[in-house]
Amino acid sequence: MFFNTKKYKEEAEKNRKLNLAEEPSKFNMISLAILATIAPLRIFLRLHKRKIEDDVTVENKRGSFEQVPIIYFHGFRGGDYTTQMMVKQALADKGDPHFLKVTADLWGNFKLEGTWTGDKNPIVQVVFRQRIVGVYAIDYYLRFILPFLAKRYHFTHYSAVAHSLACPCIVRTEMRKYRKNNFPHLAKCAFIAGPFDGVTYMGDIPNVNELNSNGRPTVMNLHYLYLMLRRKHFNSNISVLNIYGNVLDDTNSDKFISVISAKSIRYILAPNVKSYHEVEIRGKKYAEHSWMHDNPLVINIIDKFIGLKD
């Protein structure tokens, strides 16, 4: 009854084509993740002079509207391959093949590729170069990536599409920065397989936790308590979509995230937000944790939610 890291690695990376010339070493990823996780040690990351590789075409805005980019985020051990199918379908639904790809590392360096389009909803794919990262390190990523992009491309709100561990981090970041006018804020957020109250066998044992009549989990980890105590800091104008999986085995999970953990965010967000929608994907073939981001049904639901299709 332990989290199977080998199995998770195989599942998470089954669609990945490794480029060994660009992939940081495991030592690099883990050591920088530790520095980013422990707040007092982040000073060593900030001492590094930021480098920006910019090969982006910036289109003129095509109207007087405010641009609200749709930004895709992967989770632990993810990469561009995690959100590749979602981005591809979003571009098809828009009828525009151009998007911005942003690769960032924990030193604060950026590699910018592609096009910042001039329409209302530019598509942005974010890739964490040190990808073996936990909640606090992803938090750190978001806290410097989002304001950097907002300042560079002049937007104040964005819509997030997040998979796995990026989901609670999106919520945490919004709550932490709710008073910051110079920080971009959420308009909509779509969560896929979010571990809001633990990962299977890492703080969440299948079929032990349960939701009470109000939807609050009986067992709450520290990360969940953090979100619950700050729920009033999540803006009431945000629309939320929460998609989770159930492979219909005896764990009531998507193999790595339990249904209870994924659904637990409803108690925190639903009473206060503009709208809250929840969708359960079922079946071994369709609802597995590392398949859902490529599931055509999931992608179709998300694209309708964020307004890319009717």
Side-chain angles (χ1 to χ4, degrees), residues 1 4 6 29 37 46 66 71 81 92 99 121 146 171 186 193 208 246 249 289 292:
M1 292 177 59
N4 190 329
K6 181 179 180 181
M29 289 193 280
T37 297
R46 290 192 286 266
E66 178 185 355
I71 309 181
Y81 58 95
F99 71 101
N121 301 119
L146 287 170
V171 179
L186 285 169
V208 171
N246 187 345
D249 63 8
H289 184 78
M292 276 197 292

Side-chain angles (χ1 to χ4, degrees), residues 156-172:
T156 59
H157 290 82
Y158 73 103
S159 294
V161 179
H163 178 254
S164 192
L165 199 59
C167 298
C169 295
I170 292 293
V171 179
R172 286 171 60 93

Side-chain angles (χ1 to χ4, degrees), residues 102-126:
V102 179
T103 304
D105 65 25
L106 287 170
W107 293 115
N109 300 319
F110 285 90
K111 183 178 181 181
L112 308 173
E113 307 169 87
T115 302
W116 175 268
T117 57
D119 60 293
K120 188 174 182 179
N121 301 119
I123 302 296
V124 181
Q125 181 187 48
V126 170

Side-chain angles (χ1 to χ4, degrees), residues 168-185:
C169 295
I170 292 293
V171 179
R172 286 171 60 93
T173 299
E174 183 66 28
M175 289 178 173
R176 286 179 64 93
K177 300 296 183 179
Y178 80 108
R179 286 182 176 172
K180 300 293 184 181
N181 293 328
N182 60 346
F183 197 94
H185 293 285

Side-chain angles (χ1 to χ4, degrees), residues 19 21-23 50-57 80 99-115 124-130 141 144-145 148-149 152-153:
N19 186 332
E22 296 182 2
E23 180 82 353
R50 177 175 287 177
K51 298 178 182 177
I52 301 172
E53 296 181 46
D54 190 345
D55 190 27
V56 174
T57 299
D80 54 2
F99 71 101
L100 174 66
K101 181 177 180 180
V102 179
T103 304
D105 65 25
L106 287 170
W107 293 115
N109 300 319
F110 285 90
K111 183 178 181 181
L112 308 173
E113 307 169 87
T115 302
V124 181
Q125 181 187 48
V126 170
V127 181
F128 307 135
R129 194 154 191 267
Q130 283 78 29
Y141 265 126
F144 72 79
I145 291 174
F148 171 83
L149 294 176
R152 199 171 188 89
Y153 299 110

Side-chain angles (χ1 to χ4, degrees), residues 72-75 82-83 86 160-168 189-196 240-245 254 257 262 279 281 286-295 298-303:
Y72 293 78
F73 302 91
H74 65 82
T82 303
T83 57
M86 293 189 289
V161 179
H163 178 254
S164 192
L165 199 59
C167 298
C189 49
F191 301 132
I192 309 167
F196 296 103
V240 179
L241 169 66
N242 184 28
I243 301 177
Y244 59 92
D254 65 10
I257 311 300
V279 179
I281 305 298
Y286 305 104
E288 190 273 323
H289 184 78
S290 297
W291 159 246
M292 276 197 292
H293 53 67
D294 290 348
N295 185 328
V298 171
I299 296 172
N300 184 61
I301 293 170
I302 289 172
D303 285 3

